[in-house]
Structures are given as structure tokens and as C-alpha cells.
Amino acid sequence: MTVSDVFTRCAAQGRGALVGYLPAGFPTVDGSVDLISAMVDGGCDLVEVGIPYSDPVMDGPTIQAAAETALRAGVRLRDVFTVVERVAAAGGSAVVMTYYNPVLRYGVDAFARDLAAAGGLGVITPDLIPDEADEWLAASTAHGLDRIFLVAPSSTEERIASTVAACTGFVYATSIMGVTGARDSVADVAPEIVARTRPHTRLPIGVGLGVRSGEQAAQVASFADAVIVGSAFVSAATDRGTDGVHDLAAELADGVRRAGVPAPA
Amino acid sequence: MASSTGVKPSDGVANRSGHEPDERGHFGRYGGRFVPEALVAALDELAAAYEKARHDDEFLGELDRLHRDYTGRPSPLTDAPKLGEHAGGARILLKREDLNHTGSHKINNVLGQALLTKRMGKKRVIAETGAGQHGVATATACALLDLECVVYMGEVDTARQALNVARMRLLGATVIPVRTGSRTLKDAINEALRDWVTNVDSTHYLLGTVAGPHPFPVMVRDFHRVIGMEAREQVLERTGRLPDVVAACVGGGSNAIGIFHAFIDDPSVRLIGFEPGGDGIETGRHGATLAEGSPGALHGAMSYLLQDEDGQTSESYSISAGLDYPGVGPEHALLKDIGRAEYQPVTDAEAMEAFALLSRTEGIIPAIESAHAVAGAVRLGRELGPDATILVNVSGRGDKDVDTAAKWFGMIAEGESAEDADGTAIADGGRA
Ligand SMILES: Cc1ncc(COP(=O)(O)O)c(C=O)c1O
């Protein structure tokens, strides 16, 4: 299984993909495996396993608090490999979402090696741009991992082109200017950044930041190839544990199915 | 009587130093941009605006005019013979950045960036602050230039630098206490970055030190190069030779790089940065990033940082809010690696002793940050002896720290007012 296989399978069903995020070690290592498994059972096609980090500048209060909980409970970097391994063994498809310094500290090549060995498919890097990523480009290639960089509404045409050229698997489009956190409505700029990215790549484009309901998921799936949901899963886990996560995944998966595939550009 | 002379603040901006990063902001392996893609456009815009301004006589002239008429530059060089008696008889010369308007070197950078903000057509400025000196300078420039100002400050720091919080509010700024993480400067920078990612169209992030993503480390340095350029002339004029040592405190590293830079090509001059040793390196409670840290990426740049085995940032500690930071600017990381500058820790206790010593011997109350450099100079003077000349950057004044000092020296007992406190406490060296 590769990230590309996940998207192909969804497309064969005439729909986009649902991608769910939860941090490893939140609230404990075992607890996070249960929550992520519930997310997969509920209908997530791909999971993003987050690495809790002390200085998450792209995250709003919800994910910050989850990271703090995990770190206080003593989560270690190597635990992410355990979580990925167990999710993969249960039939889930997992990528890792991480700030760059933990990877640097572990050793970029060693990190890629150990993640691939655990069955991870790739890495999303919110604070690493391709301009600074030589070491990661080499390591991800060497160990067969997908590398998912981000494009943003503020990205120029030129930067969108160079960023997607460095991506494999899919492209992550941040739909709004801002940090993570569930929002009431899907931002107007979301369709625009997807439309600006399309001409530069044949990779699927996922949209994240702010989605929390089935209705929003359907709306996003009407123009993007994947709907990425993070803070809403963290809140669901906090409020109602595995049941909450399962129910939210089911609602979002239903929204994604309702939308069908995006009209060709 | 030319006390510093031909040097203009804009010289450090208009003229290349000969020690430039590559075009993407790398100082050797350090620096660069480890940021979300969402910020890249704003950083490119800033770099372009700065590059244009560097060649624009109107910008340079306005910077010089403000620094002359508003900041009060050039800042003087003061001989400190009585301090020297406590420093092995060495000649100690103080570069008086404490006499700048707003009370520290921070204004050098702030006025430059505030003028750039106007030129970029942005109306809102955000800043982080530790000791509050950068926040005060930013609030001041925003009042002067009609910009909206929001300052993020860790809750630990709003408590220990309460006077500066009041100053910022008087100047019309909004001060937002930050309650996440260690609730100090590191977390204030995180919050400022989150604000910037959200409001980047309307907002300039007026970063207060030579850290962060390119172009901040090079741009902030250039705005501070005036410190060393003036001081080099003043020392030559006063003593007829170069100093043996240039000493500065290092938090993010802006006052240090500002005074070091003019001496980098003078191989006889030792450049020594004094980092906060807190309770002592051996206790683990310190902020000695260069002496004790390791390379990594934090707050947008590759540099040294204090981190654990997993790359989680460690909490720093210092009595000095302005030095209490687990990161440092990338150019210092390079200067350390190539051996051009040295970095040594100074503990809280040593810094406070120097704080009192400079106050009593020379009638100058330094910022606790700057007291780290004074302590370092005293230590070096004792090593080097009476033939040595040591140039010390007094980066700021200590008014903001009087409360902390009064508590440290037991000058104000619980429930007592300052007037009836026992003034002999310092002379006794006593910490009640
Ligand atoms: C007076 C003074 N000196 C030094 C510093 C430390 O900053 P830097 O290392 O950037 O000069 C501060 C920071 O608040 C300060 O207020």
C-alpha cells in the first residue's frame, strides 16, 4: 500500500479521501492507538499520526493542548514508530505529521529508515519548505517514503510550482491563513488555492485547516481530492473518546461520499 | 570634541559588512528559513523591501534623522576606572546603549523595521518581548509612526517586568500575556508567529533580535551595527588602540552581534558573549544556549538551541527575562563554530553582584541583561590584568529591574516600603 494506492482506491469508488489527524501518545501511547483505530474503523482512508512537539507554531489551542498532554504523559519520539506499526498492522494507512526539529535531532535518514520499517507511508512537514529540505529529499527517496509539503493561499505561482514538484503522494493545501482549529465555515480562499495548484500537478490535492462537520467535508470534497481533519478529531477524542472519534469519522466519511469527485479542472 | 564622529546609523545598513549570509540567509549551516510555507511570501516581501531601502537615500536619511533627534545617537563611551579597580586594574570602557531613548539598544532595530513597515504599507505591528525592552521600543515607534501595536509577553515576564507592561500600555500598545509552555520569551515568539501566520497581509512581525527566519538575522544585525561602528571609533579616539576584548550579553544575540561586527576583522580583538548561567550550568537551570546547546531548528532558523534527546525544546532559566531564551541567532552559531567568538556563562549571582558593583562604583544601574556582560568583563579583567582594555556593551538601563534587585538584595522586606529598607544590604553583600 502507498499513499497513491489509497487515492486510487477512493477514486475507484467515485469519491475523495478522508484524512484524519491525531497525535501519537494522546492521551497515552495505547490510548492513541485505540483512538486512531476508531478513526480508521469510522471511515478514515488515511491517518496522519502527529508527533507532539514543544513549540507547535502552526497549531491552535486544541492541538497545542493535546501535544502538551502527550508530552506530559511522557511520550517519546520512538513511540511514534510503535503507533504507526500498530495502525498499519490493523490494516490502516498512516503518514506522520511532524515539525522538523524532532526529525533533525533523531537524524533525518535514521528517521526515514525507522518510519519506513514501521510501515509508515510518508511524512507531512508543516515547517519544512523544499528550499531547506535537501537532506529530507534524499532520505525520503532512499527509504521510499512520500513527502508531503504544504502550499498556502499566500504562495506565489512560482512557489506553488516548485513546492508541488518536490511533493510525492499528495499535496497539502492549507485552506486559510492561520493555525489549526475547527471553524464554522469553509474559507472562500480554499477553492481558489486548489484551483491555483491544479495546473501545476497531477498529484491529488488535500485541503486542511478548519473542517469539523459532514457538511463541510462534503463542501471541501466537491473541489479537493482529500478532506483533512485534525482539531475536530482531537476535540471528539477529548469529549467522547473512541466513540466520539468513530462517530465523527463516520459523519465526515459520509460527507465525502455525498460529494463525489471534484469536477475536472 | 567629536565623541563619535563620522559614523551614521545608516552606514551599517547601506554598506555590506563582508560577513554576509548566502542569498537564502545561511550563515554556514545555520540560519535559513524553517517556517510554514504561508510565511514565505511575507519574508520575501520583507527581504525585498529591506534590500530596496538599503539603497534609498530617503530611507537612510530618515533613519539617521530619527536616531539623532529621537534616539539620541551617538551613544557615549564612558570610562569606568572604579569598576576597573575591581577587575584586576583593567581599563573598562562602557558603550552606553542604556542612554538611548527607551533605555536600551532595542530601539536601533525597532526604528528601522518600523520605517520599513510603513514602506510596505502595513498598518499593524506585532512583537514579542522578554524583558519588555523590545516591547517598549516597539510601542514607542508605533506611537511615533501611527501604527497599531500588539505585544506578546510570557506571563512569567509580565510579572517580573511589570513596570514595562505599564509603559507599553501607556504608549498605546496592547499587551497580551502568553500562558502556554514555559510562559516566557520562547512562548511569546510562538504566539507572535501564530498571529503572523493568521494576519500576515496586514501585519508586520517586528522581531526583536537576530534570530528567526531570513531576512531577520541579517537585517536586525545591520540595524545594530551602528553600536560597534561608533564604539570602534570612540575607543580608538580615546585610547589610541583597539580593545583587547569586546564583551556583551547574549539572549537572542542582537546587542552582541551589533557591537562584535565592527571588530570581526580585527584578529587581535577577542569577542566574548556572556550567556545566562542561571543557577549554574551544573544545575541544568540556565539559558546558556551556545555553551551548552546543540544545533537544531527553532523559530524559523537553524542554530544552537537547548533541547532534549527527542528535539523538544528545553526550558531555559535566567533571572534576566531578556536572556531567558533557549535559542540564539544563527550568526553567533557560526562565529562559535569557526572560533571567532567565545561564549561563556555568567550565573544569576555573578550578574547581580555586577549589577550592584556598577551601580555603586560608577553610578550606572545596568539592566540585569547587561549586568551579565559587566560580570564577564570583571572576570576577564582579573584574568588579563591592568594592561587590558575591555569594551563592554551596556545594552540597557536597570530601572525596570529595581524591583527584582530590591528583592534579591533584601532591600525591601515583606510588607515594608522602599523608604524604610536597610540601605546597607548591598554593602554587606547580603541577600537576606
Ligand atoms: C537591555 C537588554 N539587553 C539584552 C537583551 C537580550 O537581547 P539580545 O541578546 O538580542 O541583545 C535584552 C532583551 O530583552 C535587553 O532588554
Side-chain angles (χ1 to χ4, degrees):
Chain A
M1 183 68 67
T2 66
V3 168
S4 162
D5 294 337
V6 172
F7 281 93
T8 306
R9 193 178 55 195
C10 294
Q13 296 172 14
R15 64 178 180 87
L18 176 62
V19 180
Y21 164 96
L22 279 171
F26 169 72
T28 61
V29 173
D30 287 341
S32 66
V33 172
D34 293 343
L35 289 169
I36 292 169
S37 301
M39 204 158 67
V40 175
D41 291 345
C44 273
D45 301 295
L46 181 67
V47 296
E48 290 177 14
V49 181
I51 297 184
Y53 177 53
S54 53
D55 296 275
V57 295
M58 274 293 279
D59 287 305
T62 307
I63 293 179
Q64 279 178 49
E68 253 184 84
T69 301
L71 288 171
R72 224 177 296 119
V75 70
R76 297 294 311 267
L77 182 61
R78 60 178 176 269
D79 294 328
V80 79
F81 303 123
T82 310
V83 172
V84 167
E85 199 161 26
R86 288 167 62 182
V87 170
S93 303
V95 294
V96 160
M97 168 100 150
T98 183
Y99 291 91
Y100 196 45
N101 196 53
V103 177
L104 269 174
R105 184 68 165 163
Y106 194 84
V108 178
D109 189 73
F111 183 88
R113 179 196 66 209
D114 292 353
L115 179 60
L121 305 180
V123 184
I124 303 170
T125 48
D127 65 348
L128 181 67
I129 55 177
D131 322 42
E132 298 286 355
D134 287 354
E135 216 182 337
W136 166 235
L137 297 182
S140 53
T141 301
H143 298 284
L145 292 174
D146 281 316
R147 42 179 184 256
I148 298 107
F149 294 104
L150 281 65
V151 293
S154 59
S155 302
T156 59
E157 286 309 298
E158 207 183 346
R159 284 203 62 82
I160 291 175
S162 62
T163 302
V164 299
C167 286
T168 62
F170 74 101
V171 177
Y172 192 127
T174 49
S175 65
I176 42 145
M177 293 303 290
V179 295
T180 56
R183 288 169 173 82
D184 289 334
S185 59
V186 175
D188 300 343
V189 291
E192 196 182 310
I193 177 66
V194 173
R196 288 175 60 218
T197 305
R198 282 273 182 234
H200 297 286
T201 182
R202 305 177 65 157
L203 290 173
I205 301 169
V207 164
L209 295 194
V211 174
R212 67 171 187 189
S213 69
E215 196 182 320
Q216 286 172 320
Q219 208 182 329
V220 170
S222 71
F223 59 85
D225 307 306
V227 179
I228 306 170
V229 180
S231 299
F233 275 118
V234 172
S235 298
T238 307
D239 297 344
R240 288 180 51 235
T242 49
D243 286 350
V245 166
H246 184 279
D247 293 355
L248 178 63
E251 180 192 331
L252 295 166
D254 184 57
V256 166
R257 279 165 178 77
R258 242 186 294 144
V261 285
Chain B
M1 269 282 297
S3 105
S4 165
T5 57
V7 175
K8 297 196 301 289
S10 65
D11 291 346
V13 177
N15 306 322
R16 288 270 185 235
S17 70
H19 299 275
E20 300 304 313
D22 72 14
E23 80 283 3
R24 288 189 290 135
H26 297 105
F27 294 90
R29 64 181 290 209
Y30 302 107
R33 285 180 178 169
F34 292 83
V35 293
E37 168 63 22
L39 291 179
V40 171
L43 293 168
D44 281 343
E45 179 193 12
L46 179 61
Y50 176 58
E51 194 49 37
K52 203 163 155 224
R54 287 184 55 235
H55 303 289
D56 182 335
D57 288 341
E58 200 181 310
F59 176 83
L60 301 172
E62 181 67 357
L63 187 67
D64 288 337
R65 188 189 67 76
L66 280 174
H67 276 318
R68 185 189 65 227
D69 299 345
Y70 194 68
T71 308
R73 297 210 75 89
S75 69
L77 186 76
T78 303
D79 252 291
K82 290 202 283 165
L83 178 68
E85 287 169 20
H86 295 264
R91 181 164 187 187
I92 296 186
L93 296 163
L94 307 174
K95 179 60 175 166
R96 301 294 306 281
E97 293 296 302
D98 59 315
L99 294 179
N100 295 339
H101 179 46
T102 72
S104 82
H105 70 292
K106 297 285 183 187
I107 192 86
N108 299 329
N109 163 49
V110 164
L111 285 176
Q113 284 198 53
L115 289 176
L116 272 183
T117 305
K118 294 289 262 195
R119 291 167 76 90
M120 290 188 292
K122 295 190 171 181
K123 306 223 165 343
R124 179 172 178 267
V125 164
I126 56 172
E128 83 295 342
T129 198
Q133 289 302 109
H134 175 59
V136 166
T138 303
T140 298
C142 288
L144 181 71
L145 298 173
D146 295 315
L147 294 161
E148 181 190 344
C149 181
V150 174
V151 180
Y152 291 94
M153 188 169 186
E155 200 177 39
V156 170
D157 297 335
T158 55
R160 63 178 154 176
Q161 309 276 233
L163 196 62
N164 271 345
V165 175
R167 286 171 81 196
M168 288 183 266
R169 290 187 170 141
L170 280 171
L171 291 160
T174 304
V175 180
I176 302 182
V178 174
R179 299 192 171 87
T180 52
S182 56
R183 293 176 291 140
T184 57
L185 183 54
K186 164 179 92 73
D187 309 282
I189 295 177
N190 289 343
E191 275 310 300
L193 284 168
R194 290 182 187 115
D195 181 318
W196 204 29
V197 164
T198 309
N199 301 300
V200 67
D201 280 346
S202 67
T203 300
H204 175 60
Y205 180 13
L206 207 162
L207 188 67
T209 190
V210 288
H214 179 65
F216 285 108
V218 68
M219 177 181 70
V220 175
R221 176 200 77 190
D222 288 350
F223 287 133
H224 283 301
R225 279 176 64 205
V226 62
I227 305 172
M229 293 168 107
E230 283 177 7
R232 194 172 184 282
E233 258 195 25
Q234 290 166 321
V235 173
L236 283 172
E237 197 175 270
R238 183 82 51 93
T239 70
R241 65 184 192 90
L242 288 168
D244 300 296
V245 178
V246 178
C249 65
V250 179
S254 67
N255 86 89
I257 210 79
I259 196 161
F260 285 178
H261 231 262
F263 299 93
I264 288 184
D265 294 325
D266 298 316
S268 69
V269 180
R270 281 173 72 187
L271 308 176
I272 310 185
F274 293 96
E275 298 191 293
D279 288 341
I281 297 299
E282 67 291 350
T283 66
R285 282 173 48 79
H286 62 81
T289 307
L290 287 159
E292 294 294 311
S294 53
L298 175 68
H299 292 152
M302 184 82 73
S303 187
Y304 278 74
L305 58 114
L306 297 174
Q307 58 184 330
D308 72 10
E309 264 178 76
D310 283 350
Q312 309 290 350
T313 312
S314 307
E315 287 193 9
S316 55
Y317 164 74
S318 170
I319 191 171
S320 149
L323 304 183
D324 193 350
Y325 179 54
V328 70
E331 193 170 3
H332 284 292
L334 178 63
L335 290 175
K336 172 191 159 82
D337 281 8
I338 63 175
R340 182 60 192 97
E342 307 157 54
Y343 300 88
Q344 302 177 7
V346 163
T347 62
D348 284 2
E350 291 171 298
M352 292 313 291
E353 193 186 320
F355 179 93
L357 188 63
L358 185 62
S359 301
R360 268 191 298 131
T361 55
E362 304 288 348
I364 296 169
I365 301 179
I368 295 179
E369 289 77 18
S370 319
H372 286 70
V374 176
V378 170
R379 186 199 287 166
L380 273 163
R382 287 173 187 164
E383 276 168 39
L384 301 176
D387 295 334
T389 301
I390 301 172
L391 170 65
V392 183
N393 198 7
V394 182
S395 56
R397 67 180 187 227
D399 307 39
K400 69 187 177 61
D401 297 315
V402 167
D403 193 46
T404 304
K407 284 184 188 129
W408 177 275
F409 292 113
M411 293 170 138
I412 307 176
E414 208 68 49
E416 199 182 6
S417 76
E419 282 91 74
D420 16 86
D422 177 1
T424 61
I426 295 187
D428 299 342
R431 220 188 135 181

